[in-house]
Amino acid sequence: MVKYPGHLISLWLLSWTLLSALSPCAAAAPNLIPAPLEMTRKSGNFRLTADTRIYYTRGASAIADYLSAELAPALGWSLPAQAAEAWQAGGILLELNDEPQSAGDNRAPGDESYLLTVDENGVRISAARPAGLFYGVQSLRQLFPVEIFAKEKQERDWTIPCVRIADQPAFSWRGMLLDVGRHFMPVDFIKQFIDQLALHKMNRLHWHLTDDQGWRLEIKRYPLLTGVGAWRDETLVGHYGDSRRWWNRLFPWIEPVHQYDGQRYGGFYTRQQVRDIVDYARTRHVMVVPEIEMPGHAQAAVAAYPELGSSDEAVGVKRGWGVSPYIYNPEQSTIDFLKNVLTEVMELFPDDYIHIGGDEARKDQWINNPRVQLLMEERGLENEEEMQSWFIRQIDEFLSQNGRRLIGWDEILQGGLARGATVMSWRGATGGIAAARAGHDVVMADNNYTYFDHYQSESGGEPLAIGGYIPLKKVYYYDPIPGALTEEESSHILGAQGQLWTEYIKTPEHVEYMAFPRVSALAEVVWLNQEPEQRDYQAFLQRLDVHLQRLEIMNINYRQPEED
Ligand code: TNX
């Protein structure tokens, strides 16, 4: 994996500071997040006026419309977009040069690189692929004064510095997980969150749609999944386990007495809403990766259709947190049910990856169920781990037949991993290391660095969280490539993502508080992939200062980081 030196970035910051000191009328210093790979400041500025037009080459009109729409509220007018043939000086050119690749050209099909040049006569963004053009547009937005992000018209001059930026990401998977199983999040917020991902040049939304506490995706064939499974009678109050007393420690089989709020809670997304979100994300070059959990985290589904479960006990949708023992049974009929569910999931989500969970599947109910034991014997499986592996393989085969790729949490390694599967390493880097060595693709979601449900400060005064401590600086110094891997093995690390599990996060405002600015730090980690010793946290904090003004203007409820 190629690492990009930190001194390049420090160098442009330094030369920029010097230049702007020399020319008093220069526009504000560019504070881009994520920092671009290469940026050179040129003398002079470009001024956007009521006469400025956007010009686009073939295939770039959607991005031109996007740029125009993003700038319109603050400008108070929409920049007209026209085909490039009509070019006139003073315009913004979006140029897609999607030519056949020549020998020695190492642009991958998923190429996200771009070149942005600003001079006094105009702006030019060129890229081989639409994604690159889109990221050039994100950089351009950040070159303007921060007020460009306002939702109402601003009376001011729109001047940007002349620069040349040549940029491309280090990793292809730059993501965030949002858990809507524990707490449901409204459609408008999901879109706003996607906007933030795009601004940070992130390209994956891992949408955790099913869990013990709620099934949030409408499935036509099985209406009770949402009719029953999307609703729980009430929700735990306070922290899970807080009510554990000395007798619970002495006699662990006595359940601690938890308090619940008595409020029915739930919600789900209709197919139409999902389509709308997926389209919205696509326009912003964000792939939505749906997660349908199996074989564990299945209590809401089992509450809806008890025949899918592995125990005779009737159960409702889970009201509290912690790992549920309710697990799908491994009957062929259950596999068929899941295939039917996934068929509808594939109709709604057109991109490659489908996440099937696989984490924290307690096997107690399989161990205690004679029918499951018999199935194990019939299928020649040695233990419950192999049964889990059998389960995942059935699903992997099905997804592969349908031209999709299975991705799952690192527990899918247990008992042997399906061949084409991609592994998401959450229990530290261990699963990622094992998977990469076995030749599997890996996404790092290390719970020591990327769990944004953990506390951001140890000084108290933070809203109740699940635990842990992952401050901004720790995220900024995260290295997604485990040190134990050889160069060749590390080529399997697709990238990294942050996790927003929502047991203790009830509202969009709280999601934002936990997400920002840790997302901003992670965005830079996955864009640049610098060696940790080449990163400059102080310089990041300085750029972040300006970036937080953007978030402020966009009404994002970020957490103000402490000076370090
Ligand atoms: C573990 S990460 C889980 C989630 C929880 C999270 C809380 C993973 C694959 N499973 O179900 O929400 O910890 O931090």
Side-chain angles (χ1 to χ4, degrees):
M1 177 64 63
V2 191
K3 301 256 180 172
Y4 301 106
H7 64 258
L8 272 184
I9 291 154
S10 317
L11 206 65
W12 67 249
L13 274 173
L14 181 72
S15 48
W16 168 253
T17 318
L18 287 175
L19 270 167
S20 40
L22 292 175
S23 88
C25 58
N31 288 284
L32 271 55
I33 288 189
L37 193 55
E38 266 179 65
M39 170 149 104
T40 327
R41 167 71 172 125
K42 307 246 172 98
S43 62
N45 301 308
F46 167 78
R47 198 159 150 250
L48 185 146
T49 69
D51 298 329
T52 308
R53 303 244 174 305
I54 302 174
Y55 301 93
Y56 54 84
T57 61
R58 207 154 61 91
S61 78
I63 297 176
D65 291 342
Y66 167 85
L67 173 61
S68 180
E70 288 298 306
L71 299 179
L75 296 180
W77 75 86
S78 302
L79 299 184
Q82 289 171 262
E85 291 74 43
W87 167 262
Q88 296 207 356
I92 300 173
L93 174 64
L94 306 181
E95 183 183 45
L96 199 56
N97 37 35
D98 207 349
E99 288 147 15
Q101 299 185 10
S102 55
D105 181 350
N106 61 0
R107 292 176 310 186
D111 192 353
E112 296 175 291
S113 67
Y114 68 92
L115 181 67
L116 163 62
T117 50
V118 179
D119 64 35
E120 278 156 358
N121 294 319
V123 175
R124 177 189 196 137
I125 306 175
S126 46
R129 304 274 185 274
L133 211 49
F134 184 77
Y135 294 128
V137 161
Q138 297 308 330
S139 291
L140 174 63
R141 292 173 73 201
Q142 294 195 16
L143 289 177
F144 279 100
V146 293
E147 291 82 1
I148 200 71
F149 291 93
K151 291 189 181 103
E152 321 74 44
K153 183 171 162 59
Q154 306 290 303
E155 291 303 337
R156 63 156 304 150
D157 243 17
W158 300 109
T159 304
I160 60 176
C162 296
V163 286
R164 179 184 187 278
I165 297 176
D167 201 11
Q168 69 178 62
F171 289 110
S172 62
W173 190 292
R174 307 181 302 278
M176 281 301 301
L177 172 145
L178 182 61
D179 166 18
V180 293
R182 276 57 177 265
H183 284 107
F184 180 76
M185 299 292 156
V187 170
D188 282 350
F189 172 67
I190 306 282
K191 290 184 175 174
Q192 201 178 305
F193 193 67
I194 290 168
D195 280 331
Q196 287 303 316
L197 295 184
L199 174 66
H200 287 88
K201 302 189 173 87
M202 295 183 101
N203 63 359
R204 301 280 185 270
L205 173 66
H206 174 172
W207 203 11
H208 185 82
L209 284 164
T210 73
D211 216 308
D212 301 310
Q213 295 84 1
W215 182 288
R216 308 274 174 238
L217 178 66
E218 181 191 14
I219 300 291
K220 274 189 305 187
R221 186 161 178 162
Y222 303 108
L224 297 185
L225 283 173
T226 46
V228 170
W231 308 93
R232 57 180 180 255
D233 288 342
E234 52 186 355
T235 301
L236 180 78
V237 174
H239 199 283
Y240 178 76
D242 267 2
S243 49
R244 206 167 282 159
R245 302 277 187 263
W246 61 266
W247 55 82
N248 298 115
R249 288 179 212 286
L250 263 183
F251 311 106
W253 56 89
I254 302 180
E255 279 283 302
V257 188
H258 281 109
Q259 218 196 313
Y260 295 88
D261 65 5
Q263 305 282 314
R264 187 169 149 87
Y265 179 93
F268 64 91
Y269 304 97
T270 64
R271 290 164 59 84
Q272 195 42 46
Q273 287 172 325
V274 170
R275 285 216 169 89
D276 184 28
I277 285 173
V278 170
D279 279 356
Y280 190 88
R282 176 162 277 226
T283 309
R284 285 149 185 82
H285 293 270
V286 172
M287 180 196 291
V288 184
V289 180
E291 180 177 353
I292 305 295
E293 279 266 23
M294 63 190 79
H297 285 279
Q299 189 170 322
V302 171
Y305 295 100
E307 63 273 23
L308 301 171
S310 300
S311 100
D312 293 336
E313 274 171 64
V315 71
V317 176
K318 194 167 168 60
R319 303 166 305 153
W321 319 128
V323 181
S324 160
Y326 284 85
I327 182 169
Y328 287 117
N329 64 51
E331 299 282 354
Q332 188 54 47
S333 53
T334 300
I335 302 289
D336 292 342
F337 159 86
L338 286 166
K339 288 181 180 174
N340 293 335
V341 166
L342 290 172
T343 299
E344 292 194 28
V345 169
M346 289 187 289
E347 278 167 34
L348 294 171
F349 296 89
D351 291 310
D352 283 359
Y353 287 97
I354 307 283
H355 201 300
I356 54 76
D359 60 309
E360 299 179 320
R362 276 171 59 178
K363 309 294 187 311
D364 314 42
Q365 294 184 350
W366 281 0
I367 294 169
N368 297 324
N369 184 326
R371 169 74 191 152
V372 175
Q373 293 300 314
L374 184 70
L375 281 174
M376 271 166 54
E377 216 176 288
E378 278 176 21
R379 292 173 187 161
L381 303 168
E382 291 290 320
N383 53 38
E384 289 72 24
E385 248 83 73
E386 286 191 10
M387 182 57 108
Q388 160 152 330
S389 170
W390 177 89
F391 200 109
I392 303 294
R393 275 173 216 265
Q394 306 305 302
I395 301 300
D396 181 59
E397 238 165 68
F398 176 71
L399 289 177
S400 306
Q401 283 161 5
N402 285 278
R404 303 305 181 97
R405 306 191 62 172
L406 178 145
I407 180 164
W409 298 107
D410 56 49
E411 287 94 330
I412 64 172
L413 286 161
Q414 292 164 1
L417 180 51
R419 225 163 357 127
T422 300
V423 172
M424 205 167 251
S425 184
W426 73 280
R427 297 174 301 170
T430 323
I433 295 169
R437 287 194 172 144
H440 291 275
D441 281 351
V442 173
V443 173
M444 297 304 292
D446 189 325
N447 61 353
N448 300 302
Y449 294 90
T450 66
Y451 270 45
F452 298 167
D453 57 335
H454 289 196
Y455 282 103
Q456 310 188 59
S457 159
E458 278 178 319
S459 62
E462 291 295 311
L464 180 70
I466 196 161
Y469 173 48
I470 302 186
L472 183 63
K473 190 172 183 176
K474 187 165 185 190
V475 178
Y476 193 69
Y477 281 102
Y478 177 47
D479 186 353
I481 305 273
L485 295 184
T486 65
E487 186 113 350
E488 201 196 317
E489 289 160 353
S490 3
S491 66
H492 285 293
I493 309 291
L494 302 181
Q497 66 174 38
Q499 280 40 249
L500 287 161
W501 299 107
T502 57
E503 287 96 330
Y504 299 92
I505 306 178
K506 295 190 176 160
T507 62
E509 294 71 34
H510 194 177
V511 170
E512 290 178 351
Y513 180 85
M514 302 307 275
F516 301 104
R518 289 187 287 194
V519 168
S520 313
L522 184 65
E524 191 151 308
V525 166
V526 288
W527 189 265
L528 288 176
N529 188 31
Q530 292 172 295
E531 293 291 353
E533 54 278 13
Q534 290 168 330
R535 300 177 197 182
D536 182 345
Y537 186 60
Q538 286 310 319
F540 170 71
L541 283 184
Q542 277 174 22
R543 277 181 289 122
L544 187 62
D545 215 41
V546 174
H547 192 64
L548 292 178
Q549 294 173 33
R550 297 179 186 123
L551 300 190
E552 180 82 43
I553 287 170
M554 288 182 274
N555 282 323
I556 302 299
N557 184 39
Y558 64 88
R559 179 181 184 279
Q560 183 66 47
E562 34 282 289
E563 287 166 26
D564 199 279

